[in-house]
Structure formats: C-alpha cells, structure tokens
Amino acid sequence: MTHALPGYVCPEDGTRADVRTAPWCCPVCAGPWDLDFAPDPQAPLEPASGPNSLWRYASALPLPGAFSVSLAEGHTPLVPLAERVHAKLDFLMPTLSFKDRGAVMLAELARRLAPQRVVADSSGNAGTAFAAYCARAGLQCEVFVPAGTSPGKTDRMRAHGAAVRVVPGGREAAAAAAREAADLPGVFYASHVFNPYFLHGTKTYAYEVWEELGGRLPEVLVLPVGNGTLLLGAALAVRELARRGVRTPALIAVQAEAVAPLAAAFAAGARDAAPVPQRATSAEGIAIPAPPRARQVLAAVRASGGTFLTVSDARLHEARRDLARRGLFVEPTAAACWAAVGPGAPGDPLAGRTAVLPLCGAGAPSGPTA
C-alpha cells in the first residue's frame, strides 16, 4: 500500500517529501535523497524462515506488505579465496551483477506507484538489471546509456523489452538525458544513485554475509566504489545490525587508480570530493568522476575506521587472471577488490583480519581474461 511507504529526506538540508509525489532529487540542493526509515531492532530477523531471495530480510526492508517482484535474487554464496578471506559471488545474480539487489527494490516500488514509464541511466549492469525487473513487474522501461556501452549489454536490455537510448558522450551525458526525461509527468526515475530505496536493496549484501557467517560480520568488508551504492548499502546494514549487538567491521573502499576522486579526498582529509577527469580504465563500472553521494561515502568509511585503496589496470588484470585460475571468471571491475587485497597487493591492507569481498559482475562468456 503506497500510503505506508517511507518518505524521502535530504541528508544535506533536511527537506522531506512524500515518495508518491517527490521529484527525483531534493528540490532545494538537487542532491540525492535518503530514506526516512530505520527497521525496529526488536523485530524478529529470521531469514531462514523466509524465501530464497533477498526478501528473506523483509522485516529490515522499507517496502511493507507482500511483494510480487522477484527473480530469486540474492542469497549468493561465500567461497574461500585465502586464509581468512572469502568472496561473495554476486555475479550469480539473475542478471549477473549485484545491481539486482537495488533494481528489484526500485521495480517493486515503481509497481506500487504505477507510473506511465520507468527511466534509468546506466553504463551496463544497472540498465540490464532494471530492464529485467521492469519486465518482471510489467512496467515500461527506457534506459539511457553512454556511447560505447557494450553491445552485449544493450542487446540484453532490449531482449528484456526495454527501449535503449544511446547518448553521445560519457556516463554523465547519459545521466543528464535520463534526468531530463525524469522531469516529465508520469515518469519514475529508477536511479541507482539518487533513489535511496536502491541502497536498501544493496544493504542485503551485508545481511547475507551476517547470515552466512552464523550471525556475525567479518572484521573487514572490502568494497568497490564508483558511485558507492554497494558500500553505502553495506554501511546501512552494518548500522542496523549494530543495533542488534553485532560487531561492526571496517570498510575498505577500492577505486580505480585512473578515476579515484573519493580516494584523493580521503587522503586529503576532505569532507567532499572534487570532480576528476574521466580517464580510460578497465574498471569502467567504478570510474565515476563526480559521485553525487561522495560526502556520505567518505563519512561512512571514516566512521568505520576503514580506508581507501586504489588499483592500477595492470594490477586489475593480474587479479582477474588469478581469480579465473581459481575458477571464478568475472568482469574487470569485479576484480578490483581482489586486486587491492589479494596476492601481490602492496603492503598488508588486511593485516591478518578476516574479510569478505564481492565479485560483483560476471565475465563475458567469450571475453578475454586480460
């Protein structure tokens, strides 16, 4: 029932808005929304009694009542990579990336709001996820992608029934085009950056780690960061689980060396990140020059006692080959965390602590390993 949906709140100026009538961003500062929601720490959290999907954490999710949109997403396995280090295989999601976690939440939200159409912007994986889940929900979907997006990914979006709009320029140009469309009446903007319901989907990553480790979290969560949606979701879950007495881990954020505005800001002790040039990198999924939630990402990492690491493309390719030789074939971006903390990584970033890292996206079936 839409009247029970938690509303939006701006983290910068406190502006509040009803989810049914709100613009896609804060009308005062034009920044992304947060959600006016915190699960009751006394409410039973018994995932084993729920469905074999992320909806098993329904009591911690902001969409009340029965859900109807699902492809059995979530509940992905943990496998050991090294002593005290596990990988979570989120590339085993229905559309082969962790973006399913947030996409299913936004598709269920949109289904309840019943817009005329859903628009999204993406460089690949998010667009594929939105196309699939909108198809599942019976919603008309339009995805704006930057020129140069993998034909394999745009073909998959179209296969799910989405209209794909190729926008000249890079990732920011595609986002601008989608936001222009989002301002029209009857349009729901399924933004994995601006809409906080997406973050409450990605937080299930950390809830699953907690469940899979027998009701605890590792000492470190290593997470790739571009826009920071997986890290911010994990930080949400960590805070919520802390209210249930669970020990909190440090968050280690990993960026591509070529495009690392957040790592630079963290090193400088800055509260916000200055935009950086868009440079070529194999880790295109995290190559975001000006992340809108930069302040929140920096604050979350600092509050956890964590840090930022960067990886070169050469190191990324080494890590990807190493993962493939361990039976795990992932896209380049998905190898970033292993590149940062795995064999051959400079220093000793984990310092012997237990850690979990995600393998976020599957490698193309016929793609090279380097």
Side-chain angles (χ1 to χ4, degrees):
M1 298 187 303
T2 56
H3 70 269
L5 293 172
Y8 298 139
V9 58
C10 177
E12 294 297 323
D13 54 46
T15 299
R16 294 180 179 272
D18 188 318
V19 66
R20 295 168 296 181
T21 56
W24 58 266
C25 67
C26 173
V28 177
C29 69
W33 293 112
D34 275 355
L35 204 59
D36 188 12
F37 172 78
D40 180 0
Q42 303 303 317
L45 187 59
E46 300 169 344
S49 64
N52 188 29
S53 73
L54 60 76
W55 294 108
R56 64 203 284 114
Y57 306 103
S59 64
L61 296 176
L63 289 171
F67 66 92
S68 67
V69 182
S70 183
L71 290 167
E73 58 290 319
H75 210 209
T76 56
L78 283 178
V79 299
L81 278 182
E83 187 177 0
R84 301 173 69 80
V85 181
H86 283 76
K88 188 158 172 60
L89 308 190
D90 260 24
F91 67 85
L92 297 180
M93 289 285 194
T95 77
L96 310 182
S97 90
F98 86 95
K99 296 290 176 60
D100 287 16
R101 295 186 182 277
V104 68
M105 293 291 289
L106 290 189
E108 176 66 23
L109 174 62
R111 184 192 67 80
R112 299 183 188 198
L113 297 176
Q116 294 175 13
R117 63 185 175 128
V118 175
V119 301
D121 57 273
S122 171
S123 58
N125 286 339
T128 301
F130 285 130
Y133 283 95
C134 282
R136 192 69 171 175
L139 297 166
Q140 182 181 348
C141 180
E142 187 174 3
V143 185
F144 292 81
V145 303
T149 298
S150 162
K153 290 182 177 179
T154 55
D155 287 348
R156 289 178 62 201
M157 295 175 204
R158 293 187 179 98
H160 290 306
V164 177
R165 311 297 183 202
V166 180
V167 180
R171 186 68 184 79
E172 293 303 312
R179 292 165 190 168
E180 184 176 352
D183 288 330
L184 299 174
V187 175
F188 176 79
Y189 182 29
S191 172
H192 56 293
V193 180
F194 280 79
N195 193 303
Y197 278 87
F198 192 93
L199 303 181
H200 283 267
T202 61
K203 79 180 181 184
T204 60
Y205 170 87
Y207 273 98
E208 288 177 17
V209 171
W210 164 81
E211 181 185 357
E212 289 158 329
L213 293 180
R216 61 184 176 85
L217 290 170
E219 294 169 284
V220 180
L221 288 173
V222 188
L223 299 152
V225 174
N227 278 307
T229 55
L230 183 54
L231 184 141
L232 289 173
L236 269 174
V238 165
R239 290 196 296 271
E240 292 169 5
L241 287 167
R243 298 185 192 111
R244 296 176 180 268
V246 178
R247 186 185 62 182
T248 60
L251 304 178
I252 293 182
V254 180
Q255 293 214 282
E257 189 176 88
V259 185
L262 293 162
F266 185 86
R271 179 170 174 259
D272 204 351
V276 299
Q278 181 73 73
R279 298 189 179 94
T281 172
S282 297
E284 60 183 9
I286 53 173
I288 307 298
R293 292 187 183 270
R295 290 187 181 186
Q296 290 178 296
V297 175
L298 289 164
V301 173
R302 289 189 174 114
S304 77
T307 191
F308 274 81
L309 302 174
T310 61
V311 293
S312 67
D313 270 29
R315 179 76 192 121
L316 194 75
H317 295 321
E318 291 173 11
R320 191 179 182 216
R321 284 193 295 267
D322 181 74
L323 287 168
R325 289 169 184 147
R326 296 167 187 262
L328 300 165
F329 188 54
V330 299
E331 66 181 7
T333 301
C337 290
W338 190 231
V341 303
D348 184 14
L350 295 180
R353 294 173 291 180
T354 58
V356 172
L357 59 88
L359 299 181
C360 295
S366 59
T369 57

